[in-house]
Amino acid sequence: MPAESSSGSEDRDRHLHVRLSDDHSSIYDLVTEYLQAAGKAPDWYWRTAGRLEGTDSENLEELLSSAFEAGAFIAHEHPEDLEFLWVTEEECEKERKREEHGASREAAKKERSSLSHYA
């Protein structure tokens, strides 16, 4: 078996970050739009997400399923609002530190927790 190039192994070690391309966009608005279009109750979704505990597996499955469907909906209906980045762990850590130490520290944490690291 031939030796693997360092760039080939680096490509395999990347993971996907999905970001909103516009800093003024809101993932909450896009997910709410999806929920309404799918005939689901946004109020129930957001209330359940806000009080969800690890032991509530039935609601967790529904929330995760809806979030996954919302991601597909947003990618299809609003592709211009999304940015897809394949990053290495090193690039990810540098970006995380830069964001957390920058002026938009809280916004960076909020964005990362709501939409990042899908892979």
Side-chain angles (χ1 to χ4, degrees):
M1 191 152 132
E4 219 173 272
S5 72
S6 63
S7 65
S9 69
E10 185 177 297
D11 286 344
R12 254 197 337 233
D13 294 336
R14 292 181 181 272
H15 62 273
L16 181 62
H17 282 199
V18 179
R19 304 258 193 243
L20 294 175
S21 57
D22 180 1
D23 292 337
H24 301 299
S25 293
S26 167
I27 188 63
Y28 301 104
D29 291 342
L30 293 170
V31 170
T32 298
E33 179 184 335
Y34 156 73
L35 292 167
Q36 290 169 336
K40 297 185 179 190
D43 290 343
W44 172 86
Y45 184 88
W46 294 120
R47 275 195 317 271
T48 303
R51 69 173 188 263
L52 184 65
E53 295 186 19
T55 59
D56 195 358
S57 62
E58 185 176 309
N59 283 336
L60 178 60
E61 186 174 334
E62 176 63 26
L63 287 172
L64 291 173
S65 175
S66 292
F68 187 78
E69 292 167 356
F73 172 84
I74 293 165
H76 184 265
E77 296 296 321
H78 300 280
E80 70 283 356
D81 290 335
L82 299 177
E83 181 179 277
F84 300 92
L85 305 167
W86 286 96
V87 299
T88 63
E89 280 300 321
E90 183 178 319
E91 292 167 334
C92 179
E93 191 60 31
K94 285 179 184 176
E95 178 184 347
R96 184 176 296 133
K97 286 179 181 177
R98 184 174 55 249
E99 288 175 345
E100 289 177 356
H101 290 92
S104 61
R105 183 176 181 198
E106 291 306 312
K109 285 182 180 179
K110 182 178 173 184
E111 179 184 348
R112 235 189 359 267
S113 68
S114 64
L115 192 59
S116 293
H117 281 86
Y118 287 101

